[in-house]
Amino acid sequence: MNVLSVVGARPQFVKAAAVSQQLRGAHDELLVHTGQHYDPELSEVFFEELALPEPAFHLGVGSDSHATQTAEMMLELERIVDDESPDVVLVYGDTNSTLAAALVAAKSSTQLAHVEAGLRSYDWSMPEEVNRRLTDHCSDILFAPGQHAKETLAQEGISENVFVSGDVMYDTLVQISDRLHGTETGLDVPDEYVLATVHRAKNTDDRDRLESIIDAFSQLHVPVVFPAHPRTVTALQEYGLWDRATEAARVIDPVTYGQFITLVEDAVCVATDSGGVQKEAFYLDTPCVTLRETTEWVETVDAGWNTLVGAETSRIVDAVRTAVDPPAKPELYGNGNAAARIVEQLERSVH
Ligand code: UD1
Ligand code: UDP
């Protein structure tokens, strides 16, 4: 089987690491890096730490408007798909890199497989919701992380070739946790802290929301450790909020995956608008306060491990102050063998 895997942004490197490992040896995988993320701390460090193969193609598209970024990826991807004639194009999650590859595959005669299919926040103002919906509706093979996502797809009329695989991010997490066991992050953080990440457009493109989140950090009862995405640093500086942010939280550069996982595990609570981090908090038994009105990872909320608070200062402060570990933790997204399931199913479904 010839697989063309397309990645471009930080969370996709974490997801692809698990599947790529399973593919190697038995199959031919060509990895495409679109270049959506290009700063070393958002890209290169993940390739090194997670032993991802060197990309066969690096498109180097960089940052731009949605239309320009997506179109530039598509131009390059179309040429690669034409030249390489893969048996299947494999995409992850809900970024512009995902959508670009999905559209190209759908308009060629190549099968398209989507990992993390069937997730919905039902918030169309988030670019990720657009990307994931369109990608699902272009896909030939859909890997849902849980039963709920499979049912969501059925409600939208997609019921063929949908497979519940579990979450590949959990696979990667299990592997790194084994490797990390007992090691220190090397970061200077307090004994007790809240770990925060903020980068979604809804929070960073809106000064009021970002300010409200920073105000919440300044009112918390424990210090906040805040590895900031470059987008957020730029926004804080543009809005004149940088000094307030650095007073309210220990703002640091993005950290490596291993460091981040250790920070999540040791935090009293996570406050985030990330998709992946909501799940990682759940896997690592750390309560999560999500700085959004909606989430696609609804099971974490239903299980009591995740609270949706949006960007309002008092709601964030209250939720973090009262965050506790719920009494029980169900198995939501598999047991760490999602990548193996995905590769086995691809072997059956790809022709
Ligand atoms: C993207 C995804 C988002 C995902 C996130 C993971 C889309 C629409 N968004 O958001 O779903 O949660 O990645 O982190 O695909 N920048 C840098 N260096 C980089 C990359 C970006 O400084 O290496 C800055 C640039 O100013 C850029 C901004 O971040 O304009 C936004 O980058 P972009 O890739 O468009 O979206 P993300 O916010 O990273
Ligand atoms: N992550 C990391 N270092 C950081 C922040 C996040 O390694 O400083 C990892 C995190 O463990 C998770 C992934 O990046 O695996 C999540 O990416 P992000 O929050 O940027 O994207 P989203 O999941 O929201 O699409």
Side-chain angles (χ1 to χ4, degrees), residues 17-91:
V19 180
S20 186
Q21 195 183 60
Q22 291 290 328
L23 280 171
R24 266 173 271 162
H27 301 284
D28 291 327
E29 183 190 35
L30 285 177
L31 190 67
V32 181
H33 187 330
T34 64
Q36 179 170 352
H37 283 179
Y38 45 87
D39 282 346
E41 72 265 29
L42 294 190
S43 176
E44 209 175 290
V45 292
F46 291 88
F47 278 77
E48 282 164 15
E49 189 172 24
L50 300 174
L52 271 157
E54 189 69 26
F57 301 95
H58 200 305
L59 311 186
V61 297
S63 307
D64 215 315
S65 70
H66 285 266
T68 304
Q69 189 182 54
T70 310
E72 281 181 5
M73 290 175 193
M74 287 181 69
L75 288 171
E76 295 289 326
L77 286 165
E78 185 177 60
R79 187 181 52 75
I80 294 168
V81 170
D82 279 353
D83 289 351
E84 302 295 333
S85 303
D87 298 316
V88 63
V89 171
L90 185 59
V91 297

Side-chain angles (χ1 to χ4, degrees), residues 9-15 37 41-42 45-46 49-50 93-95 116 128 132 169 172-173 195-200 226-229 252-264 272-280 284 292 296-297:
R10 169 166 75 181
Q12 291 168 326
F13 310 138
V14 176
K15 293 166 199 181
H37 283 179
E41 72 265 29
L42 294 190
V45 292
F46 291 88
E49 189 172 24
L50 300 174
D94 52 19
T95 71
E116 281 197 2
E128 294 81 10
R132 63 171 82 97
M169 276 188 120
T172 305
L173 178 61
L195 178 67
T197 76
V198 182
H199 70 277
R200 289 302 178 99
F226 183 7
H229 188 293
I252 57 175
D253 287 336
V255 296
T256 69
Y257 178 66
Q259 287 173 323
F260 192 79
I261 290 305
T262 308
L263 285 177
V264 173
T272 189
D273 60 7
S274 160
V277 177
Q278 292 173 59
K279 288 182 288 170
E280 288 167 346
L284 294 164
R292 302 198 211 156
E296 58 284 9
W297 299 103

Side-chain angles (χ1 to χ4, degrees), residues 317-335:
V317 173
D318 288 349
V320 171
R321 283 219 171 113
T322 54
V324 283
D325 291 0
K329 198 171 90 159
E331 185 185 289
L332 297 183
Y333 306 119
N335 53 12

Side-chain angles (χ1 to χ4, degrees), residues 25-189:
H27 301 284
D28 291 327
E29 183 190 35
L30 285 177
L31 190 67
V32 181
H33 187 330
T34 64
Q36 179 170 352
H37 283 179
Y38 45 87
D39 282 346
E41 72 265 29
L42 294 190
S43 176
E44 209 175 290
V45 292
F46 291 88
F47 278 77
E48 282 164 15
E49 189 172 24
L50 300 174
L52 271 157
E54 189 69 26
F57 301 95
H58 200 305
L59 311 186
V61 297
S63 307
D64 215 315
S65 70
H66 285 266
T68 304
Q69 189 182 54
T70 310
E72 281 181 5
M73 290 175 193
M74 287 181 69
L75 288 171
E76 295 289 326
L77 286 165
E78 185 177 60
R79 187 181 52 75
I80 294 168
V81 170
D82 279 353
D83 289 351
E84 302 295 333
S85 303
D87 298 316
V88 63
V89 171
L90 185 59
V91 297
Y92 297 88
D94 52 19
T95 71
N96 288 351
S97 300
T98 315
L99 179 63
L103 292 174
V104 167
K107 294 194 171 196
S108 71
S109 53
T110 316
Q111 283 183 289
L112 172 68
H114 185 205
V115 175
E116 281 197 2
L119 299 168
R120 299 289 179 267
S121 68
Y122 299 102
D123 180 351
W124 277 105
S125 71
M126 297 177 77
E128 294 81 10
E129 182 71 3
V130 179
N131 292 342
R132 63 171 82 97
R133 283 215 199 200
L134 297 181
T135 300
D136 281 344
H137 284 264
C138 287
S139 294
D140 302 290
I141 307 162
L142 298 97
F143 294 109
Q147 190 60 32
H148 185 269
K150 183 177 175 167
E151 285 159 17
T152 302
L153 289 168
Q155 282 163 16
E156 294 179 16
I158 305 174
S159 46
E160 275 179 34
N161 294 319
V162 179
F163 307 97
V164 176
S165 59
D167 176 21
V168 289
M169 276 188 120
Y170 187 47
D171 293 23
T172 305
L173 178 61
V174 169
Q175 286 187 24
I176 196 103
S177 299
D178 288 346
R179 251 167 59 196
L180 287 174
H181 201 68
T183 57
E184 302 282 328
T185 60
L187 298 166
D188 177 24
V189 293

Side-chain angles (χ1 to χ4, degrees), residues 159-320:
S159 46
E160 275 179 34
N161 294 319
V162 179
F163 307 97
V164 176
S165 59
D167 176 21
V168 289
M169 276 188 120
Y170 187 47
D171 293 23
T172 305
L173 178 61
V174 169
Q175 286 187 24
I176 196 103
S177 299
D178 288 346
R179 251 167 59 196
L180 287 174
H181 201 68
T183 57
E184 302 282 328
T185 60
L187 298 166
D188 177 24
V189 293
D191 288 343
E192 282 213 326
Y193 60 89
V194 171
L195 178 67
T197 76
V198 182
H199 70 277
R200 289 302 178 99
K202 196 155 182 167
N203 287 330
T204 55
D205 292 355
D206 181 331
R207 188 189 188 282
D208 291 344
R209 285 181 71 99
L210 195 54
E211 182 177 32
S212 178
I213 290 168
I214 296 300
D215 282 349
F217 293 169
S218 71
Q219 292 176 28
L220 290 175
H221 58 301
V222 280
V224 176
V225 175
F226 183 7
H229 188 293
R231 176 187 196 125
T232 316
V233 172
T234 306
L236 288 167
Q237 286 167 343
E238 268 177 18
Y239 300 149
L241 292 171
W242 178 252
D243 290 346
R244 265 160 79 182
T246 54
E247 277 159 30
R250 196 170 293 191
V251 185
I252 57 175
D253 287 336
V255 296
T256 69
Y257 178 66
Q259 287 173 323
F260 192 79
I261 290 305
T262 308
L263 285 177
V264 173
E265 188 162 28
D266 294 346
V268 292
C269 178
V270 164
T272 189
D273 60 7
S274 160
V277 177
Q278 292 173 59
K279 288 182 288 170
E280 288 167 346
F282 170 79
Y283 298 141
L284 294 164
D285 295 346
T286 303
C288 184
V289 169
T290 294
L291 309 170
R292 302 198 211 156
E293 285 71 22
T294 58
T295 183
E296 58 284 9
W297 299 103
V298 284
E299 296 93 335
T300 59
V301 177
D302 295 343
W305 284 85
N306 190 3
T307 311
L308 298 175
V309 294
E312 205 182 298
T313 305
S314 60
R315 288 193 68 197
I316 299 169
V317 173
D318 288 349
V320 171

